[in-house]
Each structure stands twice: as structure tokens, then as C-alpha cells.
Amino acid sequence: MAKLYLVPTPIGNLEDITLRALRVLKEADLILAEDTRNSGKLLKHFDISTQMHSHHVHNEHKTVDSIVQRIKNGETIALISDAGTPAISDPGFLLVRACVEAGVEVDCLPGATAFVPALVNSGLPNDKFIFEGFLPVKKGRQTRLKILAEETRTMVFYESPHKLLKTLTHFTEYFGAERQASVSREITKLHEETIRGTIAAVLQHYSNKPPKGEIVVIVEGKK
């Protein structure tokens, strides 16, 4: 039966793709990729020749209806992002919502997601947590931080390397310098590392050693 598959792809180590994901990508009529050049390397590595179309934040509003119609007409379509699970801080939500509203079946495969190993590795409570993804860059950032200052659950953030110091500085201001935190970088890749300690200590570490790569920040909730 035609459906939409959301297929997680490795966030670093290519061995982290599942056998089921490989089968779905090979059998699908079309793969929607955030960046076809990047995903093309992955597909070539696994000898997958399925046709690809671009599906990213700049065109997803325009293409959703036509994709839904293609699935309704009998095509099976797989959606992938550059790395990790689609729709987690990546395109995907709009298409899933449109499929659900149109009665089209959606199947999300389990697989790689950066924040899960970062959270487990942090040593901070993970029985209850809140995923914030990327904080607002400008508008709404201060308001959001004021709200999160009262959050009692462990908090999970994504951040780019060139904004990490600024974000950690804001965390010291709004959460307190002694709040516990963990920064995981380059998860599953050759130079993977996790730095744990107070926010102040982690900030000092990366002030002396500028960060590189994909970053997940875990912050202790208010006690």
C-alpha cells in the first residue's frame, strides 16, 4: 500500500542505518531529500539508485500538496533529512500533517537522533525532559530563556558551533553559572566528545577550545 515513510539516516557513522531503512529506500518510488547532493553520497555508498527530489525548508510549503497527491495515486515516497530523523529540527512536519489530514498512511522508522545519546550520556536525569531544539536567534529568545529558567525537567538544546559560547553565556545569566550541563559534539563521528560540569566550567572549556561540528547541549532543570 502506498504511503509516506520517514527514514532516519546516520548522524555520522554510516553503520548506524538500519536494514529496514535500506530496504525502504531501495523499494520506494521516490526519495525526498533535504540536500540531494549530501544524500546522494549516502545512497551511492549503499548502492541505492532510487530517484531523488529536493524537499527542504525553502520549498516544502509549495510541494506538499503534489507529494500527497502522488502518494494517493499509488506511489510510495520516503523522506530523509541530511542526518537523523526527519521533522526533528528538520523539514517533515508539514508533509506529515498534510498526509494525516488527507488520510494518507505515514510510517516513521526508528533510528538515529542526535539528542537521545547526548541525553543518556549527560548523566543528568532523563526520566523527564523537554526538547527545545534551536532557541530563537533574536526575537523571542529572552522571553523563552526567562520561561526555561523555571523549568524543572532536564532541557535539551541544539546549537551551532559559532553560537555555542553566546548560548552558554546566556545560560549562565538566566539559569545560573552553577547549573549542571553537558555538551556533546560530533556524536558517532571520529572526534566525538562529551564535556560535563557546571555551565560556567563548560563555557570556560569551549572559550579555550573553540568547538566544531554538530552540538547538543543538555542542561539540568531547576531544583
PDB file of all heavy atoms in Angstrom, residues 87-125:
ATOM      1  N   ALA A  87      11.959  15.730  10.486  1.00  0.00           N
ATOM      2  CA  ALA A  87      10.988  16.500  11.269  1.00  0.00           C
ATOM      3  C   ALA A  87      11.481  16.862  12.664  1.00  0.00           C
ATOM      4  O   ALA A  87      10.831  17.626  13.369  1.00  0.00           O
ATOM      5  CB  ALA A  87       9.632  15.788  11.376  1.00  0.00           C
ATOM      6  N   ILE A  88      12.633  16.332  13.107  1.00  0.00           N
ATOM      7  CA  ILE A  88      13.216  16.748  14.382  1.00  0.00           C
ATOM      8  C   ILE A  88      14.223  17.857  14.081  1.00  0.00           C
ATOM      9  O   ILE A  88      15.348  17.594  13.677  1.00  0.00           O
ATOM     10  CB  ILE A  88      13.913  15.578  15.111  1.00  0.00           C
ATOM     11  CG1 ILE A  88      12.935  14.443  15.362  1.00  0.00           C
ATOM     12  CG2 ILE A  88      14.516  16.057  16.443  1.00  0.00           C
ATOM     13  CD1 ILE A  88      11.780  14.790  16.270  1.00  0.00           C
ATOM     14  N   SER A  89      13.783  19.112  14.219  1.00  0.00           N
ATOM     15  CA  SER A  89      14.578  20.286  13.835  1.00  0.00           C
ATOM     16  C   SER A  89      14.989  20.225  12.365  1.00  0.00           C
ATOM     17  O   SER A  89      16.025  20.745  11.976  1.00  0.00           O
ATOM     18  CB  SER A  89      15.815  20.434  14.739  1.00  0.00           C
ATOM     19  OG  SER A  89      15.426  20.742  16.058  1.00  0.00           O
ATOM     20  N   ASP A  90      14.181  19.562  11.558  1.00  0.00           N
ATOM     21  CA  ASP A  90      14.398  19.430  10.123  1.00  0.00           C
ATOM     22  C   ASP A  90      13.032  19.403   9.433  1.00  0.00           C
ATOM     23  O   ASP A  90      12.006  19.188  10.089  1.00  0.00           O
ATOM     24  CB  ASP A  90      15.158  18.130   9.798  1.00  0.00           C
ATOM     25  CG  ASP A  90      16.667  18.277   9.945  1.00  0.00           C
ATOM     26  OD1 ASP A  90      17.184  19.350   9.583  1.00  0.00           O
ATOM     27  OD2 ASP A  90      17.315  17.332  10.413  1.00  0.00           O
ATOM     28  N   PRO A  91      12.996  19.599   8.097  1.00  0.00           N
ATOM     29  CA  PRO A  91      11.715  19.529   7.385  1.00  0.00           C
ATOM     30  C   PRO A  91      11.033  18.184   7.579  1.00  0.00           C
ATOM     31  O   PRO A  91      11.687  17.162   7.739  1.00  0.00           O
ATOM     32  CB  PRO A  91      12.125  19.743   5.923  1.00  0.00           C
ATOM     33  CG  PRO A  91      13.416  20.480   5.985  1.00  0.00           C
ATOM     34  CD  PRO A  91      14.115  19.945   7.201  1.00  0.00           C
ATOM     35  N   GLY A  92       9.710  18.188   7.535  1.00  0.00           N
ATOM     36  CA  GLY A  92       8.957  16.946   7.659  1.00  0.00           C
ATOM     37  C   GLY A  92       7.579  17.125   8.267  1.00  0.00           C
ATOM     38  O   GLY A  92       6.621  16.459   7.866  1.00  0.00           O
ATOM     39  N   PHE A  93       7.466  18.038   9.232  1.00  0.00           N
ATOM     40  CA  PHE A  93       6.184  18.203   9.936  1.00  0.00           C
ATOM     41  C   PHE A  93       5.053  18.570   8.991  1.00  0.00           C
ATOM     42  O   PHE A  93       3.955  17.996   9.055  1.00  0.00           O
ATOM     43  CB  PHE A  93       6.309  19.263  11.031  1.00  0.00           C
ATOM     44  CG  PHE A  93       4.980  19.781  11.510  1.00  0.00           C
ATOM     45  CD1 PHE A  93       4.122  18.982  12.242  1.00  0.00           C
ATOM     46  CD2 PHE A  93       4.562  21.073  11.188  1.00  0.00           C
ATOM     47  CE1 PHE A  93       2.883  19.441  12.663  1.00  0.00           C
ATOM     48  CE2 PHE A  93       3.329  21.546  11.605  1.00  0.00           C
ATOM     49  CZ  PHE A  93       2.488  20.724  12.338  1.00  0.00           C
ATOM     50  N   LEU A  94       5.287  19.526   8.104  1.00  0.00           N
ATOM     51  CA  LEU A  94       4.225  19.989   7.206  1.00  0.00           C
ATOM     52  C   LEU A  94       3.716  18.850   6.326  1.00  0.00           C
ATOM     53  O   LEU A  94       2.511  18.710   6.107  1.00  0.00           O
ATOM     54  CB  LEU A  94       4.722  21.137   6.335  1.00  0.00           C
ATOM     55  CG  LEU A  94       5.050  22.445   7.048  1.00  0.00           C
ATOM     56  CD1 LEU A  94       5.566  23.484   6.048  1.00  0.00           C
ATOM     57  CD2 LEU A  94       3.829  22.994   7.769  1.00  0.00           C
ATOM     58  N   LEU A  95       4.631  18.032   5.826  1.00  0.00           N
ATOM     59  CA  LEU A  95       4.236  16.916   4.966  1.00  0.00           C
ATOM     60  C   LEU A  95       3.487  15.854   5.750  1.00  0.00           C
ATOM     61  O   LEU A  95       2.474  15.327   5.280  1.00  0.00           O
ATOM     62  CB  LEU A  95       5.478  16.316   4.306  1.00  0.00           C
ATOM     63  CG  LEU A  95       5.230  15.142   3.353  1.00  0.00           C
ATOM     64  CD1 LEU A  95       4.238  15.521   2.261  1.00  0.00           C
ATOM     65  CD2 LEU A  95       6.546  14.671   2.747  1.00  0.00           C
ATOM     66  N   VAL A  96       3.958  15.535   6.935  1.00  0.00           N
ATOM     67  CA  VAL A  96       3.259  14.547   7.768  1.00  0.00           C
ATOM     68  C   VAL A  96       1.849  15.026   8.084  1.00  0.00           C
ATOM     69  O   VAL A  96       0.874  14.268   7.968  1.00  0.00           O
ATOM     70  CB  VAL A  96       4.047  14.275   9.064  1.00  0.00           C
ATOM     71  CG1 VAL A  96       3.212  13.424  10.019  1.00  0.00           C
ATOM     72  CG2 VAL A  96       5.368  13.578   8.761  1.00  0.00           C
ATOM     73  N   ARG A  97       1.718  16.286   8.471  1.00  0.00           N
ATOM     74  CA  ARG A  97       0.390  16.836   8.787  1.00  0.00           C
ATOM     75  C   ARG A  97      -0.539  16.763   7.587  1.00  0.00           C
ATOM     76  O   ARG A  97      -1.710  16.377   7.710  1.00  0.00           O
ATOM     77  CB  ARG A  97       0.525  18.271   9.269  1.00  0.00           C
ATOM     78  CG  ARG A  97      -0.813  18.909   9.674  1.00  0.00           C
ATOM     79  CD  ARG A  97      -0.638  20.300  10.238  1.00  0.00           C
ATOM     80  NE  ARG A  97      -0.109  21.220   9.226  1.00  0.00           N
ATOM     81  CZ  ARG A  97       0.165  22.503   9.468  1.00  0.00           C
ATOM     82  NH1 ARG A  97      -0.029  23.001  10.682  1.00  0.00           N
ATOM     83  NH2 ARG A  97       0.629  23.283   8.504  1.00  0.00           N
ATOM     84  N   ALA A  98      -0.027  17.114   6.418  1.00  0.00           N
ATOM     85  CA  ALA A  98      -0.848  17.083   5.213  1.00  0.00           C
ATOM     86  C   ALA A  98      -1.282  15.668   4.878  1.00  0.00           C
ATOM     87  O   ALA A  98      -2.428  15.436   4.455  1.00  0.00           O
ATOM     88  CB  ALA A  98      -0.075  17.692   4.050  1.00  0.00           C
ATOM     89  N   CYS A  99      -0.382  14.695   5.063  1.00  0.00           N
ATOM     90  CA  CYS A  99      -0.728  13.299   4.804  1.00  0.00           C
ATOM     91  C   CYS A  99      -1.803  12.812   5.768  1.00  0.00           C
ATOM     92  O   CYS A  99      -2.761  12.133   5.365  1.00  0.00           O
ATOM     93  CB  CYS A  99       0.511  12.421   4.908  1.00  0.00           C
ATOM     94  SG  CYS A  99       1.651  12.559   3.513  1.00  0.00           S
ATOM     95  N   VAL A 100      -1.640  13.141   7.040  1.00  0.00           N
ATOM     96  CA  VAL A 100      -2.625  12.733   8.048  1.00  0.00           C
ATOM     97  C   VAL A 100      -3.992  13.323   7.719  1.00  0.00           C
ATOM     98  O   VAL A 100      -5.024  12.632   7.775  1.00  0.00           O
ATOM     99  CB  VAL A 100      -2.172  13.167   9.453  1.00  0.00           C
ATOM    100  CG1 VAL A 100      -3.285  12.959  10.468  1.00  0.00           C
ATOM    101  CG2 VAL A 100      -0.917  12.400   9.874  1.00  0.00           C
ATOM    102  N   GLU A 101      -4.019  14.596   7.351  1.00  0.00           N
ATOM    103  CA  GLU A 101      -5.286  15.260   7.026  1.00  0.00           C
ATOM    104  C   GLU A 101      -5.932  14.671   5.784  1.00  0.00           C
ATOM    105  O   GLU A 101      -7.157  14.676   5.646  1.00  0.00           O
ATOM    106  CB  GLU A 101      -5.050  16.758   6.845  1.00  0.00           C
ATOM    107  CG  GLU A 101      -4.693  17.478   8.144  1.00  0.00           C
ATOM    108  CD  GLU A 101      -4.331  18.941   7.928  1.00  0.00           C
ATOM    109  OE1 GLU A 101      -4.157  19.347   6.753  1.00  0.00           O
ATOM    110  OE2 GLU A 101      -4.241  19.677   8.929  1.00  0.00           O
ATOM    111  N   ALA A 102      -5.102  14.154   4.859  1.00  0.00           N
ATOM    112  CA  ALA A 102      -5.624  13.593   3.608  1.00  0.00           C
ATOM    113  C   ALA A 102      -5.905  12.102   3.712  1.00  0.00           C
ATOM    114  O   ALA A 102      -6.324  11.470   2.736  1.00  0.00           O
ATOM    115  CB  ALA A 102      -4.630  13.858   2.474  1.00  0.00           C
ATOM    116  N   GLY A 103      -5.674  11.530   4.896  1.00  0.00           N
ATOM    117  CA  GLY A 103      -5.920  10.106   5.077  1.00  0.00           C
ATOM    118  C   GLY A 103      -4.849   9.217   4.477  1.00  0.00           C
ATOM    119  O   GLY A 103      -5.074   8.023   4.226  1.00  0.00           O
ATOM    120  N   VAL A 104      -3.658   9.780   4.249  1.00  0.00           N
ATOM    121  CA  VAL A 104      -2.541   9.018   3.705  1.00  0.00           C
ATOM    122  C   VAL A 104      -1.747   8.396   4.846  1.00  0.00           C
ATOM    123  O   VAL A 104      -1.436   9.063   5.831  1.00  0.00           O
ATOM    124  CB  VAL A 104      -1.621   9.926   2.856  1.00  0.00           C
ATOM    125  CG1 VAL A 104      -0.330   9.208   2.502  1.00  0.00           C
ATOM    126  CG2 VAL A 104      -2.349  10.378   1.601  1.00  0.00           C
ATOM    127  N   GLU A 105      -1.397   7.124   4.716  1.00  0.00           N
ATOM    128  CA  GLU A 105      -0.677   6.437   5.786  1.00  0.00           C
ATOM    129  C   GLU A 105       0.751   6.961   5.917  1.00  0.00           C
ATOM    130  O   GLU A 105       1.445   7.180   4.917  1.00  0.00           O
ATOM    131  CB  GLU A 105      -0.649   4.935   5.516  1.00  0.00           C
ATOM    132  CG  GLU A 105      -0.049   4.126   6.670  1.00  0.00           C
ATOM    133  CD  GLU A 105      -0.144   2.630   6.453  1.00  0.00           C
ATOM    134  OE1 GLU A 105      -0.748   2.200   5.452  1.00  0.00           O
ATOM    135  OE2 GLU A 105       0.402   1.885   7.304  1.00  0.00           O
ATOM    136  N   VAL A 106       1.193   7.152   7.158  1.00  0.00           N
ATOM    137  CA  VAL A 106       2.544   7.618   7.458  1.00  0.00           C
ATOM    138  C   VAL A 106       3.227   6.586   8.353  1.00  0.00           C
ATOM    139  O   VAL A 106       2.633   6.108   9.316  1.00  0.00           O
ATOM    140  CB  VAL A 106       2.526   8.983   8.172  1.00  0.00           C
ATOM    141  CG1 VAL A 106       3.950   9.430   8.517  1.00  0.00           C
ATOM    142  CG2 VAL A 106       1.836  10.027   7.312  1.00  0.00           C
ATOM    143  N   ASP A 107       4.462   6.256   8.027  1.00  0.00           N
ATOM    144  CA  ASP A 107       5.215   5.269   8.804  1.00  0.00           C
ATOM    145  C   ASP A 107       6.606   5.841   9.093  1.00  0.00           C
ATOM    146  O   ASP A 107       7.405   6.026   8.175  1.00  0.00           O
ATOM    147  CB  ASP A 107       5.335   3.967   8.021  1.00  0.00           C
ATOM    148  CG  ASP A 107       5.815   2.803   8.870  1.00  0.00           C
ATOM    149  OD1 ASP A 107       6.289   3.050   9.993  1.00  0.00           O
ATOM    150  OD2 ASP A 107       5.728   1.649   8.403  1.00  0.00           O
ATOM    151  N   CYS A 108       6.894   6.151  10.362  1.00  0.00           N
ATOM    152  CA  CYS A 108       8.207   6.666  10.750  1.00  0.00           C
ATOM    153  C   CYS A 108       9.046   5.519  11.305  1.00  0.00           C
ATOM    154  O   CYS A 108       8.689   4.906  12.309  1.00  0.00           O
ATOM    155  CB  CYS A 108       8.076   7.778  11.794  1.00  0.00           C
ATOM    156  SG  CYS A 108       9.666   8.502  12.270  1.00  0.00           S
ATOM    157  N   LEU A 109      10.163   5.245  10.650  1.00  0.00           N
ATOM    158  CA  LEU A 109      11.051   4.182  11.102  1.00  0.00           C
ATOM    159  C   LEU A 109      11.882   4.665  12.299  1.00  0.00           C
ATOM    160  O   LEU A 109      12.210   5.843  12.382  1.00  0.00           O
ATOM    161  CB  LEU A 109      12.004   3.764   9.976  1.00  0.00           C
ATOM    162  CG  LEU A 109      11.504   2.752   8.947  1.00  0.00           C
ATOM    163  CD1 LEU A 109      10.247   3.249   8.250  1.00  0.00           C
ATOM    164  CD2 LEU A 109      12.593   2.451   7.930  1.00  0.00           C
ATOM    165  N   PRO A 110      12.212   3.771  13.228  1.00  0.00           N
ATOM    166  CA  PRO A 110      13.109   4.143  14.321  1.00  0.00           C
ATOM    167  C   PRO A 110      14.535   4.246  13.803  1.00  0.00           C
ATOM    168  O   PRO A 110      14.907   3.561  12.848  1.00  0.00           O
ATOM    169  CB  PRO A 110      12.958   2.984  15.313  1.00  0.00           C
ATOM    170  CG  PRO A 110      12.593   1.816  14.452  1.00  0.00           C
ATOM    171  CD  PRO A 110      11.763   2.371  13.329  1.00  0.00           C
ATOM    172  N   GLY A 111      15.314   5.094  14.449  1.00  0.00           N
ATOM    173  CA  GLY A 111      16.699   5.222  14.011  1.00  0.00           C
ATOM    174  C   GLY A 111      17.413   6.381  14.667  1.00  0.00           C
ATOM    175  O   GLY A 111      16.996   6.873  15.716  1.00  0.00           O
ATOM    176  N   ALA A 112      18.477   6.824  14.027  1.00  0.00           N
ATOM    177  CA  ALA A 112      19.375   7.817  14.611  1.00  0.00           C
ATOM    178  C   ALA A 112      18.687   9.153  14.891  1.00  0.00           C
ATOM    179  O   ALA A 112      17.975   9.686  14.050  1.00  0.00           O
ATOM    180  CB  ALA A 112      20.566   8.041  13.674  1.00  0.00           C
ATOM    181  N   THR A 113      18.927   9.675  16.102  1.00  0.00           N
ATOM    182  CA  THR A 113      18.503  11.009  16.509  1.00  0.00           C
ATOM    183  C   THR A 113      19.545  11.525  17.489  1.00  0.00           C
ATOM    184  O   THR A 113      19.814  10.887  18.498  1.00  0.00           O
ATOM    185  CB  THR A 113      17.113  10.987  17.200  1.00  0.00           C
ATOM    186  OG1 THR A 113      16.151  10.400  16.304  1.00  0.00           O
ATOM    187  CG2 THR A 113      16.662  12.380  17.562  1.00  0.00           C
ATOM    188  N   ALA A 114      20.121  12.684  17.205  1.00  0.00           N
ATOM    189  CA  ALA A 114      21.289  13.143  17.959  1.00  0.00           C
ATOM    190  C   ALA A 114      21.031  13.335  19.449  1.00  0.00           C
ATOM    191  O   ALA A 114      21.886  13.039  20.276  1.00  0.00           O
ATOM    192  CB  ALA A 114      21.823  14.442  17.350  1.00  0.00           C
ATOM    193  N   PHE A 115      19.828  13.829  19.808  1.00  0.00           N
ATOM    194  CA  PHE A 115      19.655  14.223  21.204  1.00  0.00           C
ATOM    195  C   PHE A 115      19.531  13.033  22.156  1.00  0.00           C
ATOM    196  O   PHE A 115      19.804  13.170  23.355  1.00  0.00           O
ATOM    197  CB  PHE A 115      18.477  15.185  21.372  1.00  0.00           C
ATOM    198  CG  PHE A 115      17.108  14.555  21.395  1.00  0.00           C
ATOM    199  CD1 PHE A 115      16.614  13.974  22.557  1.00  0.00           C
ATOM    200  CD2 PHE A 115      16.300  14.575  20.273  1.00  0.00           C
ATOM    201  CE1 PHE A 115      15.346  13.409  22.596  1.00  0.00           C
ATOM    202  CE2 PHE A 115      15.030  14.015  20.293  1.00  0.00           C
ATOM    203  CZ  PHE A 115      14.556  13.430  21.449  1.00  0.00           C
ATOM    204  N   VAL A 116      19.153  11.861  21.660  1.00  0.00           N
ATOM    205  CA  VAL A 116      18.966  10.715  22.560  1.00  0.00           C
ATOM    206  C   VAL A 116      20.297  10.254  23.163  1.00  0.00           C
ATOM    207  O   VAL A 116      20.420  10.155  24.393  1.00  0.00           O
ATOM    208  CB  VAL A 116      18.233   9.564  21.845  1.00  0.00           C
ATOM    209  CG1 VAL A 116      18.186   8.330  22.744  1.00  0.00           C
ATOM    210  CG2 VAL A 116      16.827   9.992  21.461  1.00  0.00           C
ATOM    211  N   PRO A 117      21.334   9.959  22.372  1.00  0.00           N
ATOM    212  CA  PRO A 117      22.608   9.581  23.002  1.00  0.00           C
ATOM    213  C   PRO A 117      23.215  10.710  23.826  1.00  0.00           C
ATOM    214  O   PRO A 117      23.851  10.449  24.848  1.00  0.00           O
ATOM    215  CB  PRO A 117      23.500   9.218  21.813  1.00  0.00           C
ATOM    216  CG  PRO A 117      22.862   9.825  20.624  1.00  0.00           C
ATOM    217  CD  PRO A 117      21.403   9.844  20.908  1.00  0.00           C
ATOM    218  N   ALA A 118      23.019  11.967  23.407  1.00  0.00           N
ATOM    219  CA  ALA A 118      23.544  13.093  24.180  1.00  0.00           C
ATOM    220  C   ALA A 118      22.881  13.168  25.550  1.00  0.00           C
ATOM    221  O   ALA A 118      23.547  13.407  26.567  1.00  0.00           O
ATOM    222  CB  ALA A 118      23.335  14.402  23.423  1.00  0.00           C
ATOM    223  N   LEU A 119      21.582  12.953  25.593  1.00  0.00           N
ATOM    224  CA  LEU A 119      20.847  12.988  26.851  1.00  0.00           C
ATOM    225  C   LEU A 119      21.276  11.851  27.767  1.00  0.00           C
ATOM    226  O   LEU A 119      21.544  12.054  28.959  1.00  0.00           O
ATOM    227  CB  LEU A 119      19.344  12.907  26.574  1.00  0.00           C
ATOM    228  CG  LEU A 119      18.415  12.808  27.782  1.00  0.00           C
ATOM    229  CD1 LEU A 119      18.532  14.034  28.680  1.00  0.00           C
ATOM    230  CD2 LEU A 119      16.960  12.615  27.320  1.00  0.00           C
ATOM    231  N   VAL A 120      21.373  10.650  27.220  1.00  0.00           N
ATOM    232  CA  VAL A 120      21.747   9.488  28.035  1.00  0.00           C
ATOM    233  C   VAL A 120      23.186   9.633  28.538  1.00  0.00           C
ATOM    234  O   VAL A 120      23.506   9.299  29.681  1.00  0.00           O
ATOM    235  CB  VAL A 120      21.567   8.199  27.216  1.00  0.00           C
ATOM    236  CG1 VAL A 120      22.082   6.995  27.997  1.00  0.00           C
ATOM    237  CG2 VAL A 120      20.093   8.003  26.854  1.00  0.00           C
ATOM    238  N   ASN A 121      24.082  10.152  27.681  1.00  0.00           N
ATOM    239  CA  ASN A 121      25.488  10.319  28.054  1.00  0.00           C
ATOM    240  C   ASN A 121      25.719  11.422  29.075  1.00  0.00           C
ATOM    241  O   ASN A 121      26.760  11.452  29.736  1.00  0.00           O
ATOM    242  CB  ASN A 121      26.339  10.639  26.813  1.00  0.00           C
ATOM    243  CG  ASN A 121      26.716   9.395  26.032  1.00  0.00           C
ATOM    244  OD1 ASN A 121      26.714   8.295  26.579  1.00  0.00           O
ATOM    245  ND2 ASN A 121      27.030   9.568  24.766  1.00  0.00           N
ATOM    246  N   SER A 122      24.775  12.324  29.210  1.00  0.00           N
ATOM    247  CA  SER A 122      24.989  13.518  30.042  1.00  0.00           C
ATOM    248  C   SER A 122      25.138  13.192  31.524  1.00  0.00           C
ATOM    249  O   SER A 122      25.800  13.923  32.271  1.00  0.00           O
ATOM    250  CB  SER A 122      23.832  14.503  29.858  1.00  0.00           C
ATOM    251  OG  SER A 122      22.633  14.015  30.458  1.00  0.00           O
ATOM    252  N   GLY A 123      24.495  12.112  31.967  1.00  0.00           N
ATOM    253  CA  GLY A 123      24.487  11.812  33.394  1.00  0.00           C
ATOM    254  C   GLY A 123      23.442  12.605  34.158  1.00  0.00           C
ATOM    255  O   GLY A 123      23.329  12.479  35.386  1.00  0.00           O
ATOM    256  N   LEU A 124      22.665  13.414  33.456  1.00  0.00           N
ATOM    257  CA  LEU A 124      21.595  14.195  34.079  1.00  0.00           C
ATOM    258  C   LEU A 124      20.290  13.409  34.012  1.00  0.00           C
ATOM    259  O   LEU A 124      20.144  12.514  33.173  1.00  0.00           O
ATOM    260  CB  LEU A 124      21.451  15.546  33.371  1.00  0.00           C
ATOM    261  CG  LEU A 124      22.661  16.476  33.515  1.00  0.00           C
ATOM    262  CD1 LEU A 124      22.525  17.707  32.616  1.00  0.00           C
ATOM    263  CD2 LEU A 124      22.828  16.912  34.973  1.00  0.00           C
ATOM    264  N   PRO A 125      19.334  13.715  34.883  1.00  0.00           N
ATOM    265  CA  PRO A 125      18.080  12.954  34.912  1.00  0.00           C
ATOM    266  C   PRO A 125      17.416  12.921  33.534  1.00  0.00           C
ATOM    267  O   PRO A 125      17.282  13.957  32.882  1.00  0.00           O
ATOM    268  CB  PRO A 125      17.225  13.726  35.920  1.00  0.00           C
ATOM    269  CG  PRO A 125      18.216  14.390  36.819  1.00  0.00           C
ATOM    270  CD  PRO A 125      19.367  14.758  35.939  1.00  0.00           C
TER     271      PRO A 125
END
